[in-house]
Amino acid sequence: AQRVTQPEKLLSVFKGAPVELKCNYSYSGSPELFWYVQYSRQRLQLLLRHISRESIKGFTADLNKGETSFHLKKPFAQEEDSAMYYCALSLHYGGATNKLIFGTGTLLAVQP
Amino acid sequence: DGGITQSPKYLFRKEGQNVTLSCEQNLNHDAMYWYRQDPGQGLRLIYYSQIVNDFQKGDIAEGYSVSREKKESFPLTVTSAQKNPTAFYLCASRTGGGNTEAFFGQGTRLTVV
């Protein structure tokens, strides 16, 4: 079955420390992967997607098909990075890609 | 003001009653989704719709129903068959599938009393 796994419910780091939020997926097709972020009292919003291969707010994520992973990384955490982070997978069905599933989320807490 | 709107923000229901949550978007998006968000369980997909008059069950569809009579609207009905309906419900939409970005509503918190 298709699945997105985020093993850490909570990740607490100090400001300036490196951050890695883990995401593994289970899907036999060609995956489309995303990271979404929810800041306190704000809507869930897109952070980045693997197809763009870009850095957003200092975050990057690389798709590793061999390890079926899409970990989110940032070299130096900032306090404003504190938020809930969700990894998401878009699934293909008969050419009409539609289904979008999420992991359980990781709460990142950056301590001063 | 463009975007995706859920209403109401808070909803109370008596046990045994059906209740309908509203989701409207003016982004001209084809695909729409309903998720349930519970602490520690992330977002779980209830139903999704690719186009008007078409929708598919997600991973936890039991006790829920939807309709997609208009492109802009995707209401979710929580029926009395849903055993644990108290939760936070999120609606989302996106242009299509693949790598397109999903936009989310602000959510509806349903409490069964």
Side-chain angles (χ1 to χ4, degrees):
Chain A
Q2 305 94 2
R3 182 177 292 174
V4 176
T5 302
Q6 294 180 252
E8 304 135 330
K9 281 187 165 42
L10 170 66
L11 183 63
S12 183
V13 301
F14 286 104
K15 178 181 172 182
V19 170
E20 184 178 48
L21 301 173
K22 291 184 167 48
C23 172
N24 287 89
Y25 66 92
S26 174
Y27 180 48
S28 58
S30 182
E32 306 275 6
L33 286 152
F34 309 80
W35 277 99
Y36 281 80
V37 61
Q38 190 167 28
Y39 300 103
S40 180
R41 289 185 287 277
Q42 293 188 28
R43 297 187 187 205
L44 196 60
Q45 59 187 279
L46 178 69
L47 179 62
L48 55 80
R49 55 192 125 187
H50 93 271
I51 197 74
S52 303
R53 303 181 69 83
E54 57 193 344
S55 173
I56 304 292
K57 298 184 179 182
F59 285 97
T60 59
D62 291 317
L63 175 60
N64 185 323
K65 291 188 178 181
E67 295 184 357
T68 59
S69 68
F70 188 57
H71 303 327
L72 183 68
K73 299 177 184 179
K74 184 170 183 177
F76 307 104
Q78 302 298 315
E79 288 181 68
E80 55 265 31
D81 295 328
S82 295
M84 180 70 89
Y85 291 80
Y86 291 96
C87 184
L89 170 66
S90 186
L91 308 172
H92 298 252
Y93 284 111
T97 309
N98 190 2
K99 193 174 184 181
L100 180 64
I101 62 173
F102 286 77
T104 51
T106 298
L107 179 62
L108 175 63
V110 182
Q111 311 295 334
Chain B
D1 186 21
I4 179 165
T5 302
Q6 291 184 241
S7 62
K9 193 172 180 180
Y10 299 97
L11 191 55
F12 295 87
R13 183 195 99 177
K14 288 187 178 178
E15 200 167 336
Q17 290 181 337
N18 292 355
V19 64
T20 298
L21 282 60
S22 170
C23 179
E24 304 275 334
Q25 53 96 2
N26 60 6
L27 301 168
N28 200 32
H29 286 168
D30 289 310
M32 296 188 74
Y33 305 80
W34 273 106
Y35 296 92
R36 174 179 170 139
Q37 190 175 32
D38 295 287
Q41 299 197 56
L43 275 69
R44 292 184 290 167
L45 182 63
I46 304 173
Y47 268 97
Y48 59 107
S49 169
Q50 175 80 25
I51 55 172
V52 174
N53 293 323
D54 182 63
F55 49 82
Q56 287 81 40
K57 292 182 179 180
D59 300 318
I60 56 164
E62 186 175 347
Y64 299 98
S65 66
V66 293
S67 62
R68 188 84 187 276
E69 296 176 2
K70 298 186 298 181
K71 189 175 187 178
E72 308 80 34
S73 178
F74 191 41
L76 173 75
T77 296
V78 184
T79 75
S80 56
Q82 169 49 233
K83 291 181 171 49
N84 187 19
T86 295
F88 190 67
Y89 292 88
L90 278 172
C91 180
S93 69
R94 60 178 179 164
T95 303
N99 59 22
T100 60
E101 176 182 358
F103 292 83
F104 283 82
Q106 76 273 35
T108 292
R109 182 163 299 280
L110 173 64
T111 303
V112 175
V113 296

